[in-house]
Amino acid sequence: MQVARSGREHLESLRDGRDVFINGARVADVTSHKAFRNSVASAARLYDFQAEPARIEAMTFASPESGRRVSRGWQLPASYDELVERRRALEAWAGLHFGFMGRSPDHVASCISGMYMGLELFEAYDRKRAAAVHDYYRFARDNDLFLTYVIINPQADRSKAAHAQADPFLAAGVVDEDAAGLTIRGAKMLGTSGIMANEVFVTCIQPLSPGDEKQAVSFAIPMNAKGLRVLSRKSYEEHATSRFDNPLSSQFDENDAVLYFDDVKVPWERVFVNQSIEMTLKQFHGTPAHVYQNYQCQIRLLVKMRFLAGIAHTIAEANGIIGFPQVRDTLGQIAAEVGLVDGLMHGMEAKGRQAGAYFVPDRHLLYSAQSLTQQLYPKVITAIRDLAGGGVIMVPSSIADFDDPGLAAIIDKTQKSPVFSPQERVKFFKLAWDALGSEFASRHLQYEMFYAGASFVTRGHAYRTFDWATCKDMVDSLMGSYPTPAAPKTK
Ligand SMILES: Cc1cc2nc3c(=O)[nH]c(=O)nc-3n(C[C@H](O)[C@H](O)[C@H](O)COP(=O)(O)OP(=O)(O)OC[C@H]3O[C@@H](n4cnc5c(N)ncnc54)[C@H](O)[C@@H]3O)c2cc1C
């Protein structure tokens, strides 16, 4: 069985002349740059993991076109059983990074696969654009590409529409259109994993207003497209002094970057929607795309929640507080919250529906999960920090302190725990801080609160997709079972 992409091939594919910038300089090679190399290697590891002979069946499926094995993120489940089979593969991938790589390749693969499942919507809109979606899904799947997406316009003045900003091309939009395709100018807010992805899917999920037609596009281009500039945020990996000191940020800092389109040419065969406000929105909500992409997020989040529960329990053991009823109460609450995420994920699957040839997770339970988990994550982090006290701060400055015999002796005397050696205690609390309080952890808090949209957006989806009629019928039926006093007679 041959896989479409190995880790080595993925690394090789990133040496493509892309324009990535950090700390005022252009990055020659993201696979070797100190700001990115370990995270890029973690992404490559995903491809190697799925190719392991013992795992290849569970983690991949054979492309119906090429016959080569590709990630199950591209799979189009036809039944509940296939959905669960696909989820197990996604869960195993998330286990490799403990849920800390939000935009692993299965995320946007899930979105594009969902768009493909709703191809008839594109056919009703424009047959050529539908052909572009059709061909792109197959191309990306058969090469097992790592895709990122940028679907949010940059913050500036949120009270004004995209076209009404001081610069009408602040948000990426069409500046020109010719026989070859579109020319795009402007920015998109953030592309997570962009530095290590092969291609980027560009569109807008925010509601657009009349006049925003130029921003109402949808297309995919390679990350090395001419004119595409990738402006990285600060790298936490670069500032991680060692694996011991920052076990998570040193390996799983997936990166976020502003993408600027400096008159980038997009050929027609890569354009999925051209200047249609209605279709730009429908591509997500009129197809299973939005459900599939965010269902993947909940699978990943569940893995991360289990990991955080493990951190919480270990803190309680490390400090000898595990026997206190109040501490058990906190741990019980965390356990219940992990159970909530677990239950919602299984619920989405169990309540899924057959949509034509495909099986799609339940939309309302997905939006319930999104809305509740973006509130839950900060709560769980705060609860674990409450258990930790100052232990996450009472740690040596870096692993280098162990090299000094005098300091090592003091560390040995002062880092005490009923379950850990002094050295293990330091190791564990360094990990706990990287998960709970480091700059990397803080970015994760912001990620979990916002990756699916601000809370008014996710609650809006929960409101829109809920079965209000059944609930109101119950109220009406009870009220209908007893008389209403007559209104007073008017004179
Ligand atoms: C770590 C991280 C990674 C990300 N990665 C990606 C990525 O890979 N791809 C991508 O496309 N995007 C990405 N994003 C962007 C993400 O999708 C957005 O942050 C999210 O959609 C919210 O949009 P915003 O940040 O512009 O917030 P805003 O929409 O500006 O909202 C911020 C706050 O302003 C208030 N507000 C704004 N508008 C309204 C309104 N109409 N009514 C009431 N209140 C309002 C609310 O209090 C809201 O919480 C990422 C974000 C983060 C933090």
Side-chain angles (χ1 to χ4, degrees):
M1 281 189 281
Q2 199 201 350
V3 286
R5 176 171 293 250
S6 67
R8 190 186 50 73
E9 284 163 340
H10 183 63
L11 293 177
E12 196 53 50
S13 73
L14 301 179
R15 298 189 191 103
D16 59 359
R18 60 191 51 209
D19 263 340
V20 175
F21 298 87
I22 192 166
N23 304 329
R26 185 172 178 279
V27 176
D29 178 354
V30 292
T31 70
S32 57
H33 193 283
K34 61 182 186 221
F36 311 119
R37 61 191 170 207
N38 296 338
S39 313
V40 170
S42 296
R45 165 97 184 97
L46 298 173
Y47 288 104
D48 284 338
F49 178 82
Q50 70 177 13
E52 286 172 16
R55 298 201 165 89
I56 194 163
E57 279 282 354
M59 296 298 298
T60 67
F61 70 108
S63 158
E65 258 73 42
S66 71
R68 290 194 303 171
R69 309 286 303 192
V70 296
S71 152
R72 284 198 187 270
W74 298 106
Q75 193 178 346
L76 312 173
S79 64
Y80 168 82
D81 288 345
E82 284 185 18
L83 186 76
V84 171
E85 185 181 40
R86 179 182 181 276
R87 182 250 295 163
R88 291 204 175 108
L90 271 47
E91 206 175 330
W93 249 12
L96 291 188
H97 49 77
F98 310 97
F100 281 89
M101 293 185 90
R103 296 286 152 91
S104 48
D106 43 335
H107 180 68
V108 182
S110 299
C111 171
I112 299 291
S113 300
M115 276 168 65
Y116 182 83
M117 291 180 211
L119 203 58
E120 67 281 355
L121 190 80
F122 286 88
E123 272 155 9
Y125 157 63
D126 182 325
R127 297 191 75 119
K128 286 191 179 151
R129 306 285 62 84
V133 174
H134 174 274
D135 294 350
Y136 189 70
Y137 163 73
R138 289 168 181 230
F139 163 74
R141 177 198 64 194
D142 291 352
N143 291 288
D144 214 351
L145 292 185
F146 188 161
L147 308 181
T148 184
Y149 63 20
V150 284
I151 59 177
I152 301 289
N153 294 331
Q155 279 180 341
D157 184 345
R158 284 277 185 250
S159 71
K160 293 196 171 82
H163 74 279
Q165 300 292 324
D167 172 1
F169 283 99
L170 166 71
V174 179
V175 278
D176 193 21
E177 178 178 337
D178 60 22
L182 303 175
T183 304
I184 304 292
R185 181 182 300 165
K188 283 288 181 182
M189 186 180 209
L190 283 173
T192 298
S193 286
I195 58 110
M196 60 177 98
N198 298 111
E199 302 226 348
V200 57
F201 170 44
V202 185
T203 187
C204 188
I205 198 168
Q206 292 156 303
L208 293 169
S209 313
D212 286 341
E213 286 74 12
K214 292 192 185 323
Q215 274 79 27
V217 282
S218 165
F219 60 87
I221 49 168
M223 285 301 299
N224 68 348
K226 191 159 171 283
L228 174 56
R229 316 233 188 280
V230 183
L231 274 67
S232 170
R233 64 154 162 76
K234 173 182 172 180
S235 161
Y236 312 132
E237 171 177 335
E238 187 172 9
H239 295 273
T241 42
S242 71
R243 178 72 66 89
F244 180 88
D245 289 296
N246 296 93
L248 295 168
S249 36
S250 62
Q251 343 176 38
F252 304 126
D253 180 17
E254 62 187 337
N255 190 264
D256 312 282
V258 170
L259 264 52
Y260 186 74
F261 299 79
D262 194 357
D263 288 8
V264 174
K265 304 273 182 209
V266 183
W268 283 118
E269 59 270 22
R270 289 303 194 84
V271 177
F272 312 137
V273 177
N274 182 23
Q275 299 174 74
S276 163
I277 290 177
E278 189 190 353
M279 193 57 200
T280 300
L281 202 59
K282 271 191 180 168
Q283 67 182 330
F284 287 108
H285 299 293
T287 72
H290 200 241
V291 171
Y292 261 91
Q293 76 197 42
N294 288 303
Y295 162 61
Q296 182 277 341
C297 295
Q298 293 298 320
I299 297 168
R300 174 202 57 81
L301 180 67
L302 176 59
V303 172
K304 195 182 192 182
M305 295 284 287
R306 288 180 185 139
F307 177 78
L308 290 173
I311 295 276
H313 200 275
T314 310
I315 287 173
E317 290 169 316
N319 282 340
I321 56 174
I322 190 91
F324 295 144
Q326 300 88 332
V327 170
R328 295 226 165 181
D329 190 60
T330 302
L331 290 174
Q333 178 69 22
I334 292 169
E337 284 161 346
V338 179
L340 175 76
V341 182
D342 202 354
L344 282 166
M345 190 200 71
H346 283 91
M348 272 176 243
E349 294 171 348
K351 265 189 95 185
R353 72 191 162 93
Q354 201 70 38
Y358 309 112
F359 191 82
V360 182
D362 184 73
R363 197 173 283 264
H364 177 68
L365 280 184
L366 166 70
Y367 293 133
S368 302
Q370 276 192 322
S371 185
L372 294 175
T373 56
Q374 66 187 174
Q375 299 165 50
L376 199 61
Y377 192 82
K379 211 173 139 233
V380 168
I381 293 291
T382 304
I384 305 174
R385 287 177 70 144
D386 193 47
L387 287 178
V392 283
I393 307 297
M394 190 196 77
V395 285
S397 57
S398 81
I399 193 169
D401 286 355
F402 289 100
D403 295 339
D404 180 290
L407 295 180
I410 297 173
I411 295 168
D412 203 62
K413 276 199 190 111
T414 52
Q415 294 286 340
K416 297 298 182 192
S417 162
V419 293
F420 283 139
S421 71
Q423 297 70 27
E424 284 168 344
R425 182 186 160 94
V426 174
K427 186 178 187 181
F428 169 69
F429 276 105
K430 290 260 183 193
L431 166 60
W433 187 241
D434 217 14
L436 305 172
S438 67
E439 197 168 0
F440 169 86
S442 182
R443 178 266 178 200
H444 269 271
L445 186 72
Q446 206 68 4
Y447 181 83
E448 301 298 355
M449 287 170 71
F450 280 100
Y451 76 80
S455 56
F456 73 90
V457 174
T458 55
R459 284 184 205 150
H461 291 319
Y463 175 82
R464 195 170 43 80
T465 55
F466 187 56
D467 179 8
W468 292 107
T470 301
C471 306
K472 277 163 54 62
D473 281 353
M474 290 166 70
V475 176
D476 291 347
S477 85
L478 178 62
M479 281 178 54
S481 68
Y482 53 91
T484 312
K489 289 201 175 82
T490 47
K491 288 187 183 158

